[in-house]
Amino acid sequence: MKNIANIVNFVRAVEPREKDNSYLPETMLKELELCRKYGFKSTVLLQYDALILPEYREMLSQFSYITEVGIWFEVVQPLVEDCGLKWRGKFPWDWHNDVGFLVGYEPEERKLLIDRFFEVFKGYYGEYPKAVGSWHIDAFSLRYISEKYGITVSCNCKDQYGTDGYTIWGGYYAGAYYPSVNNMICPANSPENQINVPVFRMLGSDPIYQYDLGLENGIRAQGVSSMEPVYGCSGSSEKWVKWYFDEVYNGKSLALSYTQFGQENSFGWRKISQGLEMQFEILSEQIKLGKVELLTLGEAGEWFSENFSETPASALCIDSDYSENGKKSFWYNCKNYRINLLFENGVLHIRDFYLFRDDFCEKFLDKKETEHSCGYYNLPVMDGYRFSSAEKKAGIYPLDCAGRQIPCSDYVSETDDEKQTATCCGGGIKYIFTPERIKIHTEKAARFAFDFADNADVPYVSADNKELFMKFKGTTENDYLYSVKLEKGFFGIADGNPFITPENGMITIITKR
């Protein structure tokens, strides 16, 4: 298990929401000078409009000994017009998905945009980049980039629902994974369906609060609680950043613990400087103590590929709450599923459970996005955000014989890196997570009940004793049918709500297809 940190600053040459753009190169310079002050190596990802301007390249040349340069792939007017295509945006950089990202273009047009960007980069730097990032790169484009240009790493946005018009939901929650050829945020289940480029999740999501921030006020679009230094409640809060370091790098993860530092220059140095300077001081202390290793994004990708031929299991064991509300959170991710246990108000329950399937296709494989917003998804068994309301928190809850939630005074978690397993115990219930199965041992629980808001758009269709049948709507023309099976225990549905009854005190959920 390795504790990795990357500094990734991504750079645009235009910000149409501001009248004066002169601060953009200055912000990149300040970020680079801060890296030089601490002796930190970093990765700078250039948008096409910044790549073609001499001032950005000349500035970067002064820091070449500590800076890796790669591509930030948002689509901008000069790139489109240099490919002989018509620009459809309102501004030279238009952040809407149907013009500002590769998904807004037909597959053959994507190839033109990719080829132009990579050839121009090589013309300036003498070789193709190894690192390519974006808030999102569709599976078609990422596969094409990987196979033609041999990149070693990519990065994309953290899970978020509706923020900035990008829904990226149900993916590998933190760390890195190999994506499926059919779905950018779905880890491949098998080598033959795998894009052989590790994708790192950016921005350092709060493992407790980022998931459902905003639900308390009935707001469906999420707030942000992450390492981004522009945000006062998290990334620019010294208390939060120290807590995040202590918990994410607590030695209980599997495979790797990871977070990304840095911010796009669009925010400006005035807004990010205080948070970023504080973060770097903490990072410097952690490096000196040997608790974390700073790598460029490219180095992180090379390490991942050298150590893992398929997506490994990973875990986040969060044992304290910086908000002092007594919450704890446990995330387990592997190539077949992700799951989250949340300890809240004296109850330990499953807040989130998503399946990964190689043949579940994203919307953008063979056609372009025509709307301003876009969404990437995986397959929910339980979604504590989308299935909740301000009044009712969705989840899978352990109930006693009288139908009451089983109280839990606390829980403990442990991991085994060699076996890729994790165990959580609380309230007389033991959860064991492996890539192929989830085992639940209980003497107290009479059933595990799926609870959700009355108006939630849940996927449940039917159940027999050993299988829960579900249907996912909305990403393609046809609904996707899927299921989850039991080796031990029994499914049932009462008034539309599924439940699982233990079999001789045991439940075994098969997570491998």
Side-chain angles (χ1 to χ4, degrees):
M1 195 267 289
K2 193 178 185 74
N3 290 342
I4 297 175
N6 291 157
I7 298 171
V8 181
N9 293 309
F10 32 114
V11 178
R12 304 184 181 105
V14 62
E15 173 48 79
R17 293 167 292 190
E18 299 289 342
K19 293 181 179 179
D20 180 8
N21 281 192
S22 62
Y23 72 95
L24 292 172
E26 177 193 17
T27 301
M28 187 184 83
L29 177 62
K30 293 291 188 181
E31 290 170 332
L32 292 169
E33 287 176 341
L34 187 62
C35 289
R36 181 168 60 188
K37 173 184 175 181
Y38 283 92
F40 288 168
K41 53 188 173 182
S42 69
T43 298
V44 171
L45 302 179
L46 294 175
Q47 194 165 268
Y48 186 82
D49 53 6
L51 173 67
I52 61 178
L53 289 179
E55 63 181 305
Y56 286 97
R57 301 194 307 274
E58 291 168 5
M59 195 184 305
L60 280 166
S61 68
Q62 303 171 37
F63 300 86
S64 59
Y65 62 101
I66 56 169
T67 304
E68 170 189 55
V69 182
I71 280 176
W72 182 252
F73 218 123
E74 293 176 333
V75 180
V76 292
Q77 185 173 358
L79 174 59
V80 170
E81 293 179 344
D82 285 353
C83 292
L85 302 174
K86 182 180 180 181
W87 176 244
R88 295 176 277 110
K90 292 184 178 180
F91 317 103
W93 168 59
D94 189 327
W95 52 90
H96 293 110
N97 294 277
D98 54 331
V99 291
F101 289 87
L102 286 164
V103 296
Y105 300 82
E106 297 293 351
E108 290 304 312
E109 293 176 325
R110 295 176 211 176
K111 290 181 181 180
L112 290 175
L113 295 165
I114 292 165
D115 289 344
R116 175 69 185 183
F117 207 152
F118 273 76
E119 292 302 332
V120 170
F121 186 99
K122 184 180 180 182
Y124 289 130
Y125 286 99
E127 60 183 6
Y128 295 125
K130 297 298 184 184
V132 178
S134 180
W135 292 137
H136 55 88
I137 300 177
D138 60 283
F140 175 91
S141 297
L142 186 61
R143 184 180 187 181
Y144 180 77
I145 292 169
S146 168
E147 293 177 352
K148 184 168 183 177
Y149 295 104
I151 63 171
T152 59
V153 69
S154 186
C155 57
N156 64 17
C157 187
K158 62 177 172 53
D159 262 38
Q160 60 182 36
Y161 198 86
T163 307
D164 295 327
Y166 320 145
T167 290
I168 303 172
W169 197 248
Y172 207 85
Y173 195 76
Y177 65 99
Y178 290 112
S180 161
V181 295
N182 291 318
N183 187 341
M184 179 271 289
I185 66 159
C186 181
N189 306 145
S190 56
E192 59 267 25
N193 291 314
Q194 178 172 290
I195 299 173
N196 290 311
V197 173
V199 176
F200 284 75
R201 304 305 304 270
M202 300 178 71
L203 307 180
S205 290
D206 185 319
I208 298 176
Y209 291 99
Q210 170 61 33
Y211 181 85
D212 54 11
L213 193 68
L215 270 177
E216 287 77 6
N217 298 318
I219 301 170
R220 182 54 58 193
Q222 285 182 307
V224 179
S225 182
S226 75
M227 278 288 289
E228 296 170 86
V230 74
Y231 294 115
C233 64
S234 53
S236 67
S237 163
E238 185 174 0
K239 177 184 176 183
W240 185 93
V241 173
K242 287 183 175 179
W243 166 83
Y244 182 86
F245 255 88
D246 288 343
E247 293 296 336
V248 171
Y249 297 117
N250 62 11
K252 296 173 69 174
S253 299
L254 297 169
L256 76 158
S257 294
Y258 172 78
T259 197
Q260 173 248 328
F261 295 78
Q263 190 92 61
E264 66 261 51
N265 62 334
S266 302
F267 279 108
W269 185 244
R270 181 181 63 83
K271 292 182 180 179
I272 68 176
S273 59
Q274 182 176 351
L276 197 60
E277 289 168 350
M278 173 269 295
Q279 289 184 11
F280 274 33
E281 185 62 29
I282 294 172
L283 176 59
S284 178
E285 295 171 0
Q286 297 293 315
I287 292 172
K288 290 175 183 176
L289 292 171
K291 290 185 176 182
V292 66
E293 184 174 354
L294 179 64
L295 302 175
T296 65
L297 182 59
E299 289 171 342
E302 290 169 0
W303 173 86
F304 190 90
S305 296
E306 288 169 1
N307 286 274
F308 309 108
S309 59
E310 296 181 78
T311 299
S314 70
L316 285 169
C317 304
I318 309 303
D319 295 331
S320 69
D321 182 351
Y322 82 97
S323 293
E324 300 176 3
N325 293 323
K327 296 183 182 182
K328 297 184 179 184
S329 179
F330 169 87
W331 286 93
Y332 183 87
N333 304 272
C334 65
K335 65 181 182 179
N336 294 316
Y337 70 99
R338 81 174 192 188
I339 196 164
N340 174 236
L341 293 179
L342 182 68
F343 176 71
E344 180 180 28
N345 299 325
V347 176
L348 179 64
H349 69 281
I350 297 173
R351 174 169 63 165
D352 180 276
F353 182 14
Y354 266 78
L355 299 176
F356 303 142
R357 295 291 181 258
D358 277 343
D359 62 350
F360 180 60
C361 298
E362 66 182 43
K363 181 182 178 182
F364 320 107
L365 278 179
D366 57 5
K367 63 181 181 181
K368 66 180 182 180
E369 177 58 79
T370 59
E371 303 294 331
H372 280 350
S373 60
C374 77
Y376 296 85
Y377 300 92
N378 280 306
L379 300 167
V381 179
M382 174 50 63
D383 189 320
Y385 179 69
R386 291 175 55 239
F387 299 170
S388 291
S389 65
E391 295 75 30
K392 179 176 285 189
K393 291 291 188 70
I396 304 175
Y397 291 89
L399 306 181
D400 62 19
C401 293
R404 297 169 298 200
Q405 293 181 3
I406 294 177
C408 176
S409 59
D410 200 357
Y411 86 99
V412 294
S413 60
E414 59 182 30
T415 56
D416 187 325
D417 203 21
E418 184 176 344
K419 295 180 179 178
Q420 295 193 71
T421 62
T423 303
C424 293
C425 301
I429 302 170
K430 183 177 184 180
Y431 298 85
I432 303 172
F433 303 101
T434 71
E436 291 79 24
R437 286 167 177 78
I438 299 169
K439 296 182 179 180
I440 304 174
H441 300 256
T442 177
E443 296 180 358
K444 293 185 176 182
R447 64 171 53 181
F448 287 75
F450 290 55
D451 201 9
F452 43 83
D454 293 339
N455 62 347
D457 185 16
V458 296
Y460 316 119
V461 175
S462 63
D464 61 25
N465 277 343
K466 293 294 183 180
E467 193 166 8
L468 176 64
F469 299 94
M470 292 166 282
K471 178 168 63 176
F472 191 90
K473 310 170 188 175
T475 60
T476 60
E477 293 178 1
N478 299 314
D479 294 335
Y480 183 92
L481 303 178
Y482 62 108
S483 68
V484 62
K485 298 180 180 180
L486 299 177
E487 278 184 349
K488 290 198 173 184
F490 305 99
F491 276 118
I493 293 183
D495 298 324
N497 291 53
F499 60 87
I500 307 174
T501 303
E503 182 178 355
N504 298 320
M506 282 282 298
I507 294 172
T508 302
I509 302 171
I510 303 171
T511 55
K512 182 179 180 180
R513 186 168 187 169

